[in-house]
Amino acid sequence: MACYERRPPSGGNFNSGDSSGPIGRGFSNLRSFQLQRQARVKDERIVELETENALLHLKLAEHWPSSAHPALVQLCHLIQVNVTMLHTRLFFTTCQSEIFRLQLSLKEMDMRYHLEKQRRRELHNTLVELKGNIRVHCRIRPLLLLDGELDDPVSQNGSSSQEVAHAMDEETILVQCHRPGHPLINKTYNFERVYGPADSQTAVFADVCPLLTSLLDGYNVCIMAYRQTGSGKSYTMLGPGLPSDGHSDVGLIPRAVEELFRLISENPSGSPKVDVSIVEIYNNDVFDLLAKDNSTVVSGIKHEVVTTQDGWTEVPLLTRRAITSVLEFMELFHQSLQLRARNPTLVHADSSRSHLIIMMTLTAATSLASIDQRPGQSLSRERTGAGKRNQVWSRLQLVDLAGSECAGVSGVTGLALRETSFINRSLAALADVLGALSERRGHIPYRNSKLTHLLQDSIRGDAKLLVILCVSPGQKHVVETLQSLGSGTRARQVKRGQARKKPPHSQIKELCLGSA
């Protein structure tokens, strides 16, 4: 599952002269096709020479005297037959050569298309990073029994008429729906990446992987799954079940932590220390899942989100645990998920009723005599002991948001209905913040929700932010799907300025419990 980010040297181009990259492999394939074509041309020339030789034999036979030996007459007849066969062979060889030429031309065009598409994606990603835009990837989950369409005999006969969201290519999604009594829907949306129902967790993580290299380069990173309930957000981030039934289905959060420690192991001498905190935002209250001790009810202290004098957001007295391996993280991760608020609904039998946020802080111990910063990077500092401080290297936020839902569809009542109200309000607050940023308003309403207040540093441009927009493909959920795609489109329009390597930050040790 190891993943490597390939970046060009300063002022260089991707894959220039490198046969191991996609462009290099493309040129190797092109050379192979050219050699095949040369071999085919030589084969055609051989057939032509054989035909010419046969015709010469035939002309010689025509000049023999009529009283020639019967064996010569028979030879002449055989030559005539051979010439006819060679003409036929030449005709078919010419046809095959033309077919091969067209196939080769098509392959060359297809290869050039993919090479140019790869170049365009690399240039687009660079442009997105320079502009500071939020990267939005869209994932369409497969049709499931909960969609209702699978009970439709039309769907069981193989028709895809009930599937209204389609991945047209790697960057385009089409929503096409015609419902009796409703206007025809035929809309396309573009994102940095679109995953169809058949795309695996591995394929999704391959596009997330380079962000973890950026994390070790000193950039803050935030990855969140967003929008409607039952669309596959928790599956994408957590996996189908914990422990996972198979490595191929492992979610992005375990994969990201595994990749982080793999990257750290490649440079043991400069390895940063890793601390983790896990919180949930339930009914607009922040709870520390590493401090909770009851798996059946919400317990523990309600925490506040505060803004420091330097303008950064923190959660006072939040538990931080030092981890040195993936196994240590997974143990804390499993325990926290058992404490997360959940309730069954008509849409999802195990619906998450809170926003889950995993915060990982990378720090490096530095002596007070050598606190000079690296060029272009300013690190926060935490006291660790006599003559030393921990400098915050970078931070990673992994966010599994609760899904927006319609109470009439989910069938919730009582406590679950109250949870739905808080979930929808917090997601609406997030949409308002993204809308204000895209419109460049003077005031951005981060404090309208604990969710947006806690994610403020990531949203406003001090982190590389990736939003994985999850949507359902069924006609039953087309309204929510269109709303989700609209939100994702607005998020792409946000221009936050280029992300910076870890900006100045106040001391935060006093706000947190000691690492356990």
Side-chain angles (χ1 to χ4, degrees):
M1 197 189 74
C3 178
Y4 303 89
E5 180 188 33
R6 302 192 60 230
R7 296 177 296 172
S10 178
N13 294 321
F14 281 85
N15 297 314
S16 56
D18 186 353
S19 62
S20 64
I23 295 176
R25 290 193 298 271
F27 284 122
S28 297
N29 292 336
L30 180 60
R31 180 58 180 162
S32 175
F33 290 139
Q34 290 173 342
L35 293 174
Q36 291 179 32
R37 181 165 57 185
Q38 291 174 6
R40 177 73 61 161
V41 170
K42 288 185 178 180
D43 184 59
E44 292 174 7
R45 183 58 182 156
I46 291 172
V47 173
E48 290 175 357
L49 290 173
E50 289 176 347
T51 303
E52 291 177 6
N53 291 338
L55 289 172
L56 290 173
H57 281 295
L58 184 60
K59 288 180 179 180
L60 286 173
E62 289 175 351
H63 289 81
W64 288 333
S66 57
S67 58
H69 193 276
L72 294 177
V73 176
Q74 184 179 5
L75 177 62
C76 180
H77 176 71
L78 290 175
I79 291 175
Q80 289 177 332
V81 172
N82 191 35
V83 168
T84 303
M85 293 178 62
L86 286 173
H87 275 296
T88 304
R89 180 184 171 190
L90 180 61
F91 172 76
F92 281 109
T93 301
T94 303
C95 291
Q96 290 176 347
S97 177
E98 181 64 15
I99 292 173
F100 179 79
R101 186 187 67 80
L102 293 173
Q103 289 176 337
L104 181 60
S105 177
L106 181 61
K107 287 181 179 179
E108 289 176 351
M109 292 177 64
D110 186 60
M111 185 165 50
R112 287 173 57 192
Y113 167 76
H114 286 291
L115 290 174
E116 291 303 322
K117 192 172 182 181
Q118 175 71 16
R119 290 192 186 103
R120 194 202 70 81
R121 180 178 296 170
E122 291 168 352
L123 292 172
H124 175 72
N125 285 337
T126 302
L127 181 62
V128 166
E129 185 165 320
L130 290 174
K131 286 184 175 180
N133 290 24
I134 297 173
R135 306 180 196 190
V136 181
H137 295 185
C138 181
R139 188 178 196 187
I140 309 171
R141 68 156 170 78
L143 279 174
L144 303 174
L145 287 173
L146 60 89
D147 293 311
E149 277 85 4
L150 294 184
D151 296 329
D152 190 336
V154 175
S155 297
Q156 291 178 348
N157 290 335
S159 171
S160 60
S161 60
Q162 301 299 323
E163 197 169 349
V164 300
H166 311 273
M168 303 303 294
D169 54 40
E170 292 184 348
E171 298 174 3
T172 308
I173 180 172
L174 169 67
V175 180
Q176 201 167 43
C177 179
H178 184 272
R179 296 175 296 169
H182 294 81
L184 174 66
I185 299 173
N186 188 11
K187 296 184 177 181
T188 58
Y189 300 85
N190 293 308
F191 299 99
E192 277 69 40
R193 186 72 163 85
V194 172
Y195 307 100
D199 285 318
S200 65
Q201 299 276 66
T202 302
V204 177
F205 182 69
D207 294 315
V208 172
C209 206
L211 292 175
L212 299 172
T213 303
S214 296
L215 182 72
L216 290 180
D217 286 342
Y219 291 94
N220 290 336
V221 172
C222 179
I223 303 166
M224 70 169 70
Y226 181 46
R227 282 312 290 186
Q228 67 202 85
T229 189
S231 59
K233 297 184 305 302
S234 292
Y235 173 84
T236 297
M237 298 301 289
L238 312 178
L242 295 171
S244 175
D245 297 330
H247 191 271
S248 62
D249 288 334
V250 172
L252 297 189
I253 291 176
R255 289 174 186 265
V257 177
E258 181 178 348
E259 176 65 10
L260 173 61
F261 279 104
R262 188 194 68 79
L263 292 172
I264 289 175
S265 68
E266 291 182 348
N267 184 20
S269 60
S271 297
K273 174 186 173 185
V274 182
D275 293 333
V276 63
S277 299
I278 304 178
V279 303
E280 70 171 349
I281 300 178
Y282 174 77
N283 289 355
N284 205 38
D285 288 318
V286 179
F287 293 94
D288 185 349
L289 292 183
L290 295 183
K292 287 173 66 173
D293 55 6
N294 191 318
S295 62
T296 58
V297 297
V298 174
S299 62
I301 302 172
K302 297 179 182 179
H303 293 261
E304 294 297 324
V305 181
V306 301
T307 302
T308 66
Q309 292 180 351
D310 294 332
W312 305 103
T313 55
E314 298 291 350
V315 179
L317 302 177
L318 187 63
T319 303
R320 293 170 63 190
R321 300 285 178 87
I323 56 173
T324 58
S325 68
V326 181
L327 292 178
E328 290 180 7
F329 169 79
M330 293 305 295
E331 183 178 354
L332 296 174
F333 186 47
H334 290 312
Q335 294 172 359
S336 299
L337 289 181
Q338 296 299 317
L339 301 175
R340 187 182 184 186
R342 296 179 180 275
N343 255 326
T345 70
L346 295 181
V347 176
H348 201 298
D350 191 29
S351 178
S352 303
R353 313 307 290 171
S354 66
H355 307 299
L356 178 71
I357 303 176
I358 297 172
M359 297 176 285
M360 305 187 74
T361 305
L362 277 61
T363 59
T366 307
S367 65
L368 296 179
S370 59
I371 60 173
D372 293 337
Q373 303 164 68
R374 292 185 294 170
Q377 181 172 11
S378 180
L379 306 174
S380 66
R381 299 163 189 153
E382 301 174 348
R383 297 185 181 277
T384 60
K388 289 209 171 188
R389 286 182 178 177
N390 267 352
Q391 293 185 320
V392 174
W393 191 270
S394 56
R395 284 182 176 165
L396 171 65
Q397 288 182 321
L398 302 167
V399 186
D400 178 29
L401 295 174
S404 60
E405 64 182 59
C406 173
V409 175
S410 61
V412 293
T413 59
L415 175 62
L417 180 60
R418 185 168 181 266
E419 293 170 343
T420 296
S421 176
F422 277 105
I423 291 171
N424 288 342
R425 274 188 277 175
S426 62
L427 293 176
L430 179 57
D432 289 342
V433 166
L434 295 176
L437 286 169
S438 64
E439 296 170 9
R440 302 197 176 193
R441 298 180 202 162
H443 172 69
I444 311 299
Y446 291 111
R447 300 198 183 193
N448 284 1
S449 166
K450 296 284 180 64
L451 174 65
T452 51
H453 195 182
L454 183 56
L455 297 178
Q456 177 177 342
D457 294 346
S458 297
I459 298 173
R460 69 181 177 184
D462 297 308
K464 293 189 176 185
L465 174 58
L466 170 63
V467 175
I468 301 177
L469 186 70
C470 298
V471 298
S472 301
Q475 178 176 297
K476 178 179 178 181
H477 306 289
V478 66
V479 175
E480 292 85 354
T481 296
L482 291 173
Q483 291 174 350
S484 299
L485 294 172
S487 297
T489 300
R490 287 190 294 274
R492 291 188 71 210
Q493 297 169 355
V494 175
K495 297 180 180 180
R496 310 172 301 159
Q498 186 175 2
R500 299 167 292 170
K501 289 188 178 181
K502 190 65 192 73
H505 199 292
S506 64
Q507 292 185 7
I508 60 175
K509 198 69 172 181
E510 298 85 349
L511 300 176
C512 307
L513 295 177
S515 299

